[in-house]
Amino acid sequence: MALQRVLGLGRALGQRSCCSKRPLPPDFVEALRAVVGAPNVSTAMAVREQHGHDESMHTCAPPDAVVWPQAVGQVQELAALCHRCRVPMVPFGTGTGLEGGVNAVQGGVCFDLSRMDAIAELSLEDFSVAVEPGVTRKALNSHLRGTGLWFPVDPGADASLCGMAATGASGTNAVRYGTMRPNVLNLRVVLPDGRLLHTAGPGRQPRKRAAGYDLTSLFVGSEGTLGFLTQATLRLHPLPEAVAATTAAFPSVRAAVACTVQVLQAAVPVARIEFLDEVMVGACSRFSGLELPAAATLLLELHGSRHGLAEQQRQTEEIVRLNGGSGLAWAEEPEERGRLWAMRHSAWYAALALRPGCQGYSTDVCVPISRLPDVVVETKQDLQDSGLTGPMVGHVGDGNFHCLLIFDAQDPAEAQRVHTFTQRLGRRALVAGGTCTGEHGVGLGKRALLLEELGQEGLDTLHRIKAALDPHNLMNPGKVL
């Protein structure tokens, strides 16, 4: 039961359990095959289990069937069929989420959209491109090689770009280039009943608009609960002329985080500024084979012109020194920078290696920059007082940080400590004027905190929006609300 509470799967008072499910109607699977062909439908248990979980620790909840549509018209037909038969629908991209967003807690049909992988409408002059759900961020940037443009939103995993839109993802570059929300110009959405919606109008990709409600922003971060994102029109950015990255070690967590705030206050146009506590640095060093001092550390990256970069480096070095930082050695060659960021992106696996055989859970709070030093220091002390293994890492330029909690799921006492800690951390962020989730989404585990964050009227408004678009609660049920 303790583990269930950690996962947020407990039944809410007065609500039907999110795990209620009923069998598929007779001949329903044959109807699916009639739409996409027999090779593109599976009811095999191994396939269903593969699609019943993401990279989170939430218990696998397999769908009753998996389908692979290959065109938007097929998605529409399949959605209309499920809608008529009142069968739940769960979108699936690459399965790299961290909040159980693809777990089919009410069964139904998983729509694996990975075979819809067209890259279309690339406009170098307009800095825009349209991608289908099977296109990952690495695939897009490979396609853009040689154009002078790139898509910078980088959550670490090679995730589906439409999936990144669905979760409101961000990552290491968000401090300079923004999260997914400002980088999505238009979405092609299949609604729960099979109708097609273009959130900014068909074929449109203006840099700004003030025409009616912002439907694009409504679907960004909706976590598959309002419809299928079958195409995203994205904002592209010019590649920087020069890039330099470095690490800086600090005498304390507070000094490292305070340095972050000062770098931003000085208007240094930093592209990435990542924080690792001494536990995380030690784990990453051992896992990646890089030798770094086991101290609170910042990883910084600057983008700009060759002339401007030198001035940015001088400013950064001065602020780092004022905060007691040391060890700056700028890496400008792609191979050197690649090794640094490979180490940072392996943080999750490095944390898991601290306790082989245990599971991990990543918190995801985000607070105003002014409150960041206090909240990080208080959280560090809370971790130590709780006796938990929880290396800290984060996109501190946005006020967003993670505790990677590694624990034995078979130990009820430890699972309870994790649960209690995550609730305290979420509420600490809310008291500081922040949010319980900066980029992973609500999914299965943060629904109680969402109520505290938005208040009852805010949550009721979300329910009314959900009911207007999905009155039968068929789209990814059990998530967010």
Side-chain angles (χ1 to χ4, degrees), residues 431-477:
V431 168
T435 175
C436 65
T437 176
E439 58 184 4
H440 296 168
V442 174
L444 289 170
K446 298 192 177 84
R447 290 174 296 168
L449 287 171
L450 183 64
L451 171 60
E452 296 181 36
E453 181 168 328
L454 297 181
Q456 190 61 56
E457 190 55 46
L459 197 65
D460 288 347
T461 300
L462 293 189
H463 276 288
R464 287 192 286 270
I465 293 171
K466 169 74 168 173
L469 292 171
D470 184 19
H472 303 294
N473 192 27
L474 299 176
M475 283 301 311
N476 212 6

Side-chain angles (χ1 to χ4, degrees), residues 125-331:
E125 295 83 3
D126 294 323
F127 296 84
S128 66
V129 67
V131 297
E132 288 189 326
V135 181
T136 66
R137 65 175 186 86
K138 288 183 179 179
L140 175 60
N141 282 324
S142 177
H143 183 81
L144 294 172
R145 192 172 293 131
T147 66
L149 300 178
W150 71 314
F151 187 73
V153 182
D154 176 7
D158 189 22
S160 156
L161 289 159
C162 286
M164 288 166 58
T167 57
S170 57
T172 57
N173 286 312
V175 65
R176 173 71 174 267
Y177 298 99
T179 67
M180 282 300 291
R181 196 172 299 277
N183 284 290
V184 178
L185 303 174
N186 200 349
L187 290 167
R188 185 182 69 193
V189 182
V190 173
L191 296 173
D193 60 3
R195 289 177 297 156
L196 194 64
L197 168 70
H198 295 266
T199 57
R204 304 191 187 284
Q205 62 266 359
R207 302 289 284 185
K208 62 179 182 179
R209 61 190 297 274
Y213 299 136
D214 189 349
L215 296 179
T216 304
S217 288
L218 173 63
F219 283 88
V220 173
S222 61
E223 301 186 42
T225 62
L226 300 179
F228 296 95
L229 309 189
T230 63
Q231 187 184 70
T233 302
L234 305 174
R235 182 193 305 265
L236 301 176
H237 296 259
L239 280 166
E241 178 188 359
V243 177
T246 190
T247 63
F250 292 84
S252 68
V253 167
R254 183 177 290 277
V257 180
C259 180
T260 300
V261 176
Q262 291 169 30
V263 166
L264 297 174
Q265 289 173 334
V268 177
V270 63
R272 305 186 190 188
I273 184 163
E274 297 286 299
F275 165 74
L276 295 81
D277 74 354
E278 73 283 358
V279 181
M280 189 77 263
V281 171
C284 285
S285 294
R286 288 189 295 273
F287 189 81
S288 301
L290 292 181
E291 293 185 7
L292 293 175
T297 297
L298 292 180
L299 276 68
L300 302 100
E301 186 167 279
L302 305 174
H303 294 179
S305 66
R306 297 196 181 281
H307 174 74
L309 201 64
E311 174 60 19
Q312 293 177 34
Q313 288 172 294
R314 186 195 64 76
Q315 284 182 282
T316 302
E317 289 168 1
E318 181 178 349
I319 296 169
V320 167
R321 282 195 296 270
L322 287 173
N323 285 277
S326 60
L328 277 83
W330 293 97

Side-chain angles (χ1 to χ4, degrees), residues 28 77 79 89 102 159 171 232 237-238 241 248 266 279 353 365 400 414 418 459 463 468:
F28 183 79
E77 286 188 65
M89 298 170 273
V102 301
H237 296 259
E241 178 188 359
V279 181
V365 299
N400 182 203
E414 188 175 19
V418 168
L459 197 65
H463 276 288

Side-chain angles (χ1 to χ4, degrees), residues 358-429:
C358 289
Q359 289 184 289
Y361 180 81
S362 175
T363 66
D364 182 39
V365 299
C366 185
V367 298
I369 294 294
S370 63
R371 299 299 308 276
L372 184 64
D374 287 339
V375 172
V376 170
V377 170
E378 290 169 17
T379 302
K380 180 73 171 174
Q381 187 62 52
D382 193 0
L383 271 171
Q384 293 171 349
D385 293 345
S386 301
L388 295 172
T389 301
M392 297 174 67
V393 60
H395 321 303
V396 283
D398 303 316
N400 182 203
F401 69 94
H402 313 297
C403 298
L404 308 185
L405 300 165
I406 313 302
F407 70 104
D408 182 358
Q410 304 306 313
D411 181 345
E414 188 175 19
Q416 179 60 51
R417 292 203 310 276
V418 168
H419 168 68
T420 304
F421 171 82
T422 58
Q423 295 300 301
R424 279 198 305 270
L425 175 54
R427 293 189 174 100
R428 184 178 302 123

